[in-house]
Every structure is written in C-alpha cells, then in structure tokens.
C-alpha cells in the first residue's frame, strides 16, 4: 500500500509541475511576449506528459497487485489522494483546452494575414470576358 501512496505523491508533484508549465504557456500566448520560449515550454509539457503516462501505468500495475481500482474506496486515505488527483487533472485539462483555443485563434489570424499579403503581391487579372483570373499571366502571353 505504501508503494501506491508513493506513486500518488509522485503524480501530485508532477501535476503541480504541469500546472506551472501550462500557466507559463498561457501567459506567453496571452501576452504575445517571449514567443521564442513557447517551443521550449511545449517540449517541457510533452516530456512531463510522457513521464506522467509511465507513472500512471505503474499505478495501474500496483493497483492490480493490491486488487484495487479507482476511486480506491477500500482505503480512505488513498481515495482522498485519488480524488485530489482527478480534480487537479480536470482543472489542468481545461487550461490545456484554453491554450489550444488561444493557439488556434493565433493561427487563424496569421492565416488571414498571409492570405491578405498573398492577394497584395499577386493581384487579380481579368480575362477578355471580364472574369477574374487568380494567377498572373506573364507578359509574353498577354495580347496587347
């Protein structure tokens, strides 16, 4: 049982670290500052999520050894820790979804800017019957 308790303590510490990383990611996205640090923060988040997955797999194995399942109602202390972990996980999942929305909005604005600039650099050409042609015709092909 002590092993399961230690795993829950590790998960709690890792989730707290993840919280700090997600909040830093959100701060970068909101303030539009230190955008160069965003890839580093995302790499830290990915690495921590991999570690969490491994620890959770260990939790599942140990739980099977003790013949226990979540929500661990057989042991009050373990059940309370598990509840705290699930609550924190839900909160972090919401922050991560919010960050995803911020990233998607930023990508949409960037794409609109790119499309606008493309149109400025590649003006529309009208064909002989008055329709717009989206590609530029070379001067050699144009009839004057």
């Amino acid at each position: 049982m002590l092993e399961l308790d230690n795993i829950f303590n590790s998960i709690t510490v890792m989730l707290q670290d993840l919280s700090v990383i997600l909040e830093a990611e959100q701060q970068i996205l909101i303030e539009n500052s230190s955008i160069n640090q965003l890839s580093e923060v995302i790499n830290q988040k990915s690495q921590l999520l991999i570690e969490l997955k491994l620890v959770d797999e260990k939790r599942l194995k140990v739980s099977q050894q003790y013949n226990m399942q979540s929500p661990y109602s057989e042991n009050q202390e373990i059940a309370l820790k598990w509840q705290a972990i699930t609550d924190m996980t839900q909160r972090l999942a919401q922050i991560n979804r919010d960050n995803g929305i911020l990233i998607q909005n930023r990508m949409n604005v960037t794409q609109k800017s790119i499309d606008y600039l493309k149109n400025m650099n590649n003006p529309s050409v009208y064909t002989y019957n008055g329709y717009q042609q989206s590609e530029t015709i070379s001067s050699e092909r144009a009839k004057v």
Side-chain angles (χ1 to χ4, degrees):
M1 198 69 74
L2 181 62
E3 188 176 6
L4 196 57
D5 189 52
N6 289 338
I7 290 171
F8 282 180
N9 289 338
S10 295
I11 290 173
T12 302
V13 168
M14 294 171 97
L15 289 176
Q16 290 168 348
D17 292 344
L18 184 59
S19 176
V20 170
I21 291 170
L22 287 173
E23 289 170 5
E25 179 184 49
Q26 192 171 67
Q27 204 62 33
I28 290 169
L29 292 169
I30 290 172
E31 292 179 355
N32 212 12
S33 65
S34 308
I35 209 72
N36 298 335
Q37 293 176 340
L38 188 59
S39 65
E40 180 183 330
V41 169
I42 290 172
N43 288 338
Q44 290 174 350
K45 179 174 73 170
S46 297
Q47 183 63 36
L48 190 55
L49 289 173
I50 291 168
E51 292 173 22
L52 266 168
K53 183 175 176 9
L54 294 173
V55 172
D56 193 53
E57 288 172 359
K58 186 176 179 182
R59 173 193 65 84
L60 291 172
K61 287 180 185 176
V62 171
S63 294
Q64 285 178 341
Q65 287 174 352
Y66 288 111
N67 214 16
M68 298 175 78
Q69 293 182 0
S70 62
Y72 301 101
S73 54
E74 302 89 0
N75 183 311
Q76 184 64 25
E77 184 179 333
I78 298 284
L80 289 173
K81 286 186 178 189
W82 180 248
Q83 184 61 48
I85 287 171
T86 55
D87 291 346
M88 185 181 287
T89 302
Q90 289 172 353
R91 185 178 68 79
L92 295 176
Q94 183 59 50
I95 293 172
N96 197 46
R97 277 190 295 275
D98 293 345
N99 289 357
I101 291 169
L102 289 170
I103 290 170
Q104 187 60 49
N105 288 343
R106 181 177 295 240
M107 288 173 57
N108 290 342
V109 168
T110 301
Q111 188 59 50
K112 286 179 184 176
S113 298
I114 289 170
D115 292 344
Y116 177 77
L117 291 173
K118 268 184 173 177
N119 288 333
M120 300 242 345
N121 290 330
N122 191 13
S124 297
V125 177
Y126 290 90
T127 63
Y128 67 92
N129 56 1
Y131 292 105
Q132 234 180 9
Q133 185 173 347
S134 59
E135 60 188 54
T136 306
I137 299 174
S138 71
S139 61
E140 295 174 350
R141 291 182 16 207
K143 294 181 182 179
V144 181

